Amino acid sequence: MNCSFSPLRGRLAPSPTGALHLGNARTFMIAWLRVRAAGGTLVLRMEDLDHPKNKPGAAQAALEELRWLGFDWDEGPDVGGPCAPYTQTERKAHYAQALAQLQQQGLVYPCICTRRDVETGQSAPHAEDGLYYGGVCRDRFASYEEAAQQLPAGRLPAWRFRCKEGDASRVSFIDLCAGLYEQDVSQAVGDFVLARDPHGAGYMLAVVIDDAAMGITEVVRGDDLLPATPRQLLLYQALGLTPPAFLHVPLVVSEDGRRLAKRHGDTRLCALRDAGNTPEKIIGLLAWWCGWAAWGECLSLHDLLPRFDLATLPRTPAVLTPAVKDYLHCT
Ligand code: GLU
């Protein structure tokens, strides 16, 4: 069942795989401003499917830190709403139903390859988005059970999406920030994993099912997910769902241009709070990165609303310079 809504519905989708940092906060700030400036509805969805990487207490801490920074949302795990539940591990029945639909359409197949098999099968490096799968298990097994029999006890086949050849796998869309983006999914990544076992959907399927079921009309997220979007668009199409608009924003990076890591300094929101920074100081800095505030200005999210302008958002990454680290007493 899909809820249908208007006008704009956006979402914040934290994963409890670690503590929220400045980069997450900047992306969420833009997502919040987009929805609030348009008088829309903001959904918070907890993306906790990635069990082995989840940190205990991280989901609760994320909600608390976002509230501390001044964020609010209209629907979510802690406030409820018409599309509940808002936590992915409680939504597995939806993913199973979608997988069953794709099975009936012959659009998925069981795969017994390990990550290692896939790595060794790579003929050329596919820089864009990790591993390319050449389709070794495509048309290899008559059934899931037959595939499972090939595996030692304790291991289960995954389900992969069967990319069509030719134009059917060529996706192009206009991202509201990044502009035209094109990818031939069958060339760039090949048949991709939807579920690691028959009971567990992965991110790619879950995010599509949830955004559609929650009536999300615009997805704002980091541009590290730009290369994953064509796969998601193929899924929308296969499942007969309407895709949202996408707005991928540049990440916060270190001075060497890399993704933020511990060695670049402790930019976790909890650490910045412990170091004595106020929410207004942090929001002011995030806004300065976006070109909407002067250096050193302290602002609330609401103060920023009249200044918010997507047109002036830099299309290049924000950089964690020594000056920013000093300013935030970032260790
Ligand atoms: N939960 C994902 C993350 O924290 C975001 C997924 C998405 O926005 O589609 O990286």
Side-chain angles (χ1 to χ4, degrees):
M1 185 205 70
N2 288 2
C3 313
S4 60
F5 300 93
S6 61
L8 182 81
R9 281 177 66 86
R11 42 73 153 186
L12 309 177
S15 294
T17 47
L20 293 183
H21 54 69
L22 275 182
N24 304 123
R26 183 173 175 278
T27 303
F28 288 157
M29 180 182 82
I30 298 165
W32 186 94
L33 287 166
R34 260 316 261 187
V35 171
R36 294 292 179 239
T41 303
L42 189 62
V43 172
L44 188 141
R45 181 173 69 235
M46 192 52 71
E47 301 210 321
D48 61 347
L49 283 180
D50 203 356
H51 284 306
K53 290 195 198 152
N54 285 351
K55 305 273 179 309
Q60 195 52 36
L63 299 184
E64 279 164 18
E65 286 156 17
L66 287 172
R67 293 246 185 244
W68 173 74
L69 270 183
F71 284 91
D72 60 358
W73 43 91
D74 308 299
E75 300 171 25
D78 53 344
V79 291
C83 302
Y86 292 92
T87 298
Q88 286 193 324
T89 44
E90 294 168 26
R91 301 182 55 80
K92 288 189 174 173
H94 295 263
Y95 315 141
Q97 202 181 15
L99 192 58
Q101 185 182 334
L102 294 169
Q103 284 161 357
Q104 272 161 18
Q105 295 172 264
L107 289 175
V108 288
Y109 62 85
C111 169
I112 59 168
C113 295
T114 59
R115 191 180 169 85
R116 188 116 178 246
D117 296 335
V118 180
E119 272 163 9
T120 12
Q122 301 242 82
S123 49
H126 288 257
E128 190 159 33
D129 192 29
L131 292 179
Y132 170 78
Y133 185 66
V136 176
C137 288
R138 204 179 229 239
D139 306 318
R140 185 171 171 192
F141 305 109
S143 66
Y144 188 85
E145 291 66 36
E146 189 190 317
Q149 279 161 15
Q150 311 294 313
L151 291 173
R155 261 197 68 206
L156 288 168
W159 283 103
R160 278 187 191 269
F161 184 77
R162 184 188 291 271
C163 284
K164 298 201 174 105
E165 300 300 328
D167 283 351
S169 287
R170 240 170 255 141
V171 177
S172 82
F173 68 99
I174 310 277
D175 186 88
L176 295 172
C177 183
L180 177 67
Y181 190 80
E182 294 180 284
Q183 188 188 78
D184 182 332
V185 178
S186 69
Q187 299 288 316
V189 285
D191 296 343
F192 51 94
V193 172
L194 294 183
R196 286 266 155 229
D197 63 66
H199 317 290
Y203 160 72
M204 213 58 78
L205 182 61
V207 77
V208 166
I209 299 308
D210 287 347
D211 282 336
M214 294 179 182
I216 301 301
T217 60
E218 183 180 287
V219 166
V220 177
R221 60 187 178 194
D223 65 6
D224 52 332
L225 286 167
L226 195 49
T229 308
R231 272 168 277 170
Q232 294 172 14
L233 286 168
L234 288 183
L235 287 175
Y236 278 101
Q237 198 183 38
L239 292 161
L241 299 170
T242 309
F246 291 95
L247 197 167
H248 287 90
V249 300
L251 301 180
V252 178
V253 298
S254 64
E255 276 204 300
D256 59 8
R258 305 226 174 148
R259 278 177 81 136
L260 289 188
K262 276 190 191 131
R263 67 177 184 285
H264 300 124
D266 196 346
T267 64
R268 292 173 305 151
L269 297 179
C270 55
L272 297 174
R273 177 171 58 183
D274 292 348
N277 296 292
T278 61
E280 291 74 19
K281 188 173 166 189
I282 296 174
I283 296 292
L285 184 272
L286 300 177
W288 171 77
W289 258 331
C290 299
W292 304 323
W295 174 258
E297 235 183 317
C298 294
L299 292 162
S300 71
L301 281 172
H302 283 275
D303 295 333
L304 260 184
L305 269 175
R307 303 186 188 190
F308 168 62
D309 182 4
L310 189 60
T312 60
L313 178 75
R315 267 46 178 180
T316 47
V319 183
L320 183 73
T321 58
V324 170
K325 290 202 314 190
D326 278 355
Y327 178 63
L328 294 178
H329 317 295
C330 181
T331 52

